[in-house]
Structure formats: C-alpha cells, structure tokens
Amino acid sequence: MLAAVCARITPDDPLAGLEIRDVPEPTAPDGWEVIAVRAAAINHHDLFSLRGIGVTKDEVPIILGTDAAGVTADGREVVAHAVLGNPEPGEDETLAADFHVFSERGVPGSLAERMAVPTRNLLPKPAGFSFVEAACLPVAYLTAYRMLFNRAGLRPGQSVLVQGAGGGVSTAALLLGNAAGLVVYVTSRSEEKRAKALELGAAGAFAPGSRLPHRVDAVLDSVGKATWDHSLKSLRTGGTVVVAGATSGPDPSADLSRMFWRQLTVRGSSIGTRDEFREMCAFLEQTGVKPLIDSEFALSDAQAAFTRLHDGTEFGKIVLIP
C-alpha cells in the first residue's frame, strides 16, 4: 500500500527525509483493528518527526501522521483518537507514563491507505461530517478544545488571545471560541491571514506584539519564544497562558517578576483525552461548527502538501486523500 514515510531524519531540511512509497500492509494485534483511511490531516508534528524531534534514527523508516478518519472492516465510519498509551483506570491518558501518538515509538502513523488503531481509540465520525472534516479533529481541534475549556477554563463572555492565526490549532481555537461565546483576538504576521480571521469572527486581528484593546483572561500560545513576551504582557492580573507548542523555540525569558507580581498562571497542554474528544464532537454537532479546510492533496502528492505546511502559507487544515 502507499504511505508517506519518514525515511531518514534531516534536521536542517525536513522535506528531504519524506518519501511516498509502497509499504507492507498493517497488522492488528489483539484489541486493535485495521481501518481503511479515507482522509488524513497533516500537522507540524510530522515536520518535527522529519527533523528528529520525538523520533530516533533507530525508529525510521516510519509512516508519518497522527490524524485519520476512515472505515472499519465491518463498515463503521470512524475517526481515530491519536493518543496512545496504557493509563491506569480513570487516569487522563495524556498524563500516562507511556503517553505517545501514532508515528512515535515505532507505531505506524495515519498517512497511508490503511492503518491499525486500538479499538478503544475508534470513535464514531460526527454526524454530518465528511471524512476530510473528521480527519482534522484528533490533534488540532482536540488540542484547541482542551486548551480553551479545560486548561484555561474559559466561559462565555471571557476573552482570549490566540497567537499565530492560520495554523490548525489557532484556527480551531478561533472557531470553537466563537461558538462558545468567547471574545477571541488573534495575531499574525500576515495581513491576509488577519483579514481571514476577522471574516471568521475574530473580535480583532493584530500584528505580533501589538497592544490589544484590553488585557485578556487567557492566551493560547503554541508559537513559543517569538510570542512569549507578548503573551504575558497581554494577560490581565491573575490570567492564564496555556502552552501547547513552541514552533519558534522553547526557551524564552520566563519574565518571573511579571509572573509573580501579576499572579499569572502558566499551564501546559498536550492534545486531549477520549472523553474530551467525545465532548468536543457533541459540541461540534450541537453548534454546527466544522473544521476549516485549507486544501486537499492526494496521498501520492504528499510532498506538495508538506511543502505548503512547511512554508506556512496555509490557513486551516491540510488533508491528504489516499
């Protein structure tokens, strides 16, 4: 079968390690099922894997991808929860000692015609969703949902700044936040992306580092070093910044004096749980919100899809179709 593979780790040129090639069919151990992948979204996680972040040289070649929607052998239309591991009963699986996702620790990913998935990770595709739309949910939309409503604890009428408009998580946060009655501000270096964010309902769209109309209750930051100072300065006293990534670097100044004088809270966040996934799907069905699709590519044209993601020209999710 055809798959997009991390064939080798190339830190300085991640696309050089990407190959689209034939691979063996997946096998399903006890408690797993093989699904026919109908659509698979790509994420910055895949670029990190190609750079050797979260993947070692001993684990390549490995099929990339964390997100998939497809059909089981008995005809069920499903979406695959990306978080793997063996939590204790009642434990948040993102806190389990062996927390990982597809395409890590030797587990083949979703960018293939078929993939093996633990049965417990297969959730019904939300009603009215296409496979392309459902494939966007497991990482970007679940990450944004958890950041907004679990880690930041936001409620209708409160305000949030989303750093870096246009990416999968930031676009998801804008759409989900609007549907929940939040006041959502965004930043972007791109004037075009700021305009698109306003069209989607952002209360304001600003260049990075700009002063907001008022300080916000929470900031969602997956950019890291480049936006950290602005994130802290944008918070009201007692506000919360939720961190789920560091695409510009993981080592900003902590600005501890600002943090303790203004009693700010910093909370890390990583994807979400199956229970949160179910809650989010119900929320999407009830509100009518659907993922924003930037573009669709054939799996055989994955190189072009990854180039678009790498160059940062997308607005919304990029999805591959096997």
Side-chain angles (χ1 to χ4, degrees):
M1 68 173 184
L2 195 66
V5 174
C6 175
R8 55 197 165 275
I9 291 172
T10 50
D12 297 327
D13 183 11
L15 300 185
L18 173 66
E19 291 186 4
I20 295 84
R21 66 191 198 191
D22 285 324
V23 299
E25 291 283 344
T27 57
D30 289 344
W32 291 54
E33 299 181 45
V34 172
I35 67 168
V37 177
R38 294 288 185 262
I42 62 175
N43 296 282
H44 279 280
H45 180 276
D46 302 309
L47 291 175
F48 295 153
S49 296
L50 290 162
R51 293 185 187 275
I53 300 171
V55 175
T56 68
K57 291 182 178 180
D58 294 337
E59 293 170 342
V60 298
I62 191 166
I63 300 172
L64 293 165
T66 55
D67 295 7
V71 180
T72 62
D74 59 1
R76 288 173 290 133
E77 296 185 347
V78 295
V79 58
H81 178 43
V83 177
L84 303 173
N86 293 290
E88 296 296 326
E91 182 184 26
D92 178 340
E93 62 261 39
T94 68
L95 302 177
D98 61 344
F99 163 67
H100 60 292
V101 297
F102 294 112
S103 75
E104 294 181 347
R105 302 193 185 184
V107 180
S110 61
L111 303 186
E113 294 178 291
R114 285 165 291 282
M115 69 178 298
V117 181
T119 298
R120 68 180 184 182
N121 282 48
L122 293 174
L123 283 74
K125 181 168 68 68
F129 273 52
S130 68
F131 285 109
V132 169
E133 291 164 340
C136 300
L137 302 179
V139 170
Y141 278 75
L142 183 55
T143 295
Y145 183 88
R146 180 181 176 92
M147 292 175 80
L148 286 167
F149 306 122
N150 180 325
R151 305 302 280 165
L154 290 168
R155 297 293 181 266
Q158 292 188 298
S159 57
V160 60
L161 170 64
V162 180
Q163 297 281 20
V169 173
S170 59
T171 305
L174 172 55
L175 295 174
L176 294 170
N178 279 343
L182 304 180
V183 178
V184 185
Y185 300 111
V186 304
T187 64
S188 176
R189 292 173 295 178
S190 165
E191 184 176 349
E192 180 183 2
K193 289 185 177 182
R194 295 197 296 270
K196 288 182 178 179
L198 291 172
E199 291 175 5
L200 290 175
F206 305 93
S210 298
R211 183 183 294 273
L212 304 183
H214 58 86
R215 289 193 171 98
V216 295
D217 296 293
V219 177
L220 307 192
D221 195 330
S222 58
V223 180
K225 189 172 184 177
T227 54
W228 188 251
D229 180 66
H230 184 240
S231 292
L232 295 184
K233 289 179 179 177
S234 298
L235 284 171
R236 64 164 174 80
T237 299
T240 300
V241 57
V242 183
V243 184
T247 55
S248 68
D251 55 346
S253 167
D255 198 359
L256 293 178
S257 58
R258 181 180 299 276
M259 291 179 66
F260 66 72
W261 277 116
R262 298 187 58 206
Q263 302 186 65
L264 305 180
T265 298
V266 176
R267 304 197 74 180
S269 190
S270 190
I271 314 183
T273 67
R274 279 172 290 168
D275 287 343
E276 287 169 328
F277 202 153
R278 294 187 185 96
E279 291 172 5
M280 180 187 69
C281 288
F283 177 80
L284 293 171
E285 291 176 349
Q286 290 165 10
T287 60
V289 173
K290 289 189 176 182
L292 180 66
I293 309 301
D294 172 81
S295 51
E296 300 176 28
F297 292 83
L299 177 59
S300 58
D301 200 21
Q303 190 79 36
F306 271 83
T307 298
R308 184 167 178 80
L309 180 66
H310 180 263
D311 292 345
T313 54
E314 86 284 4
F315 195 96
K317 293 297 293 177
I318 301 171
V319 182
L320 298 181
I321 311 297

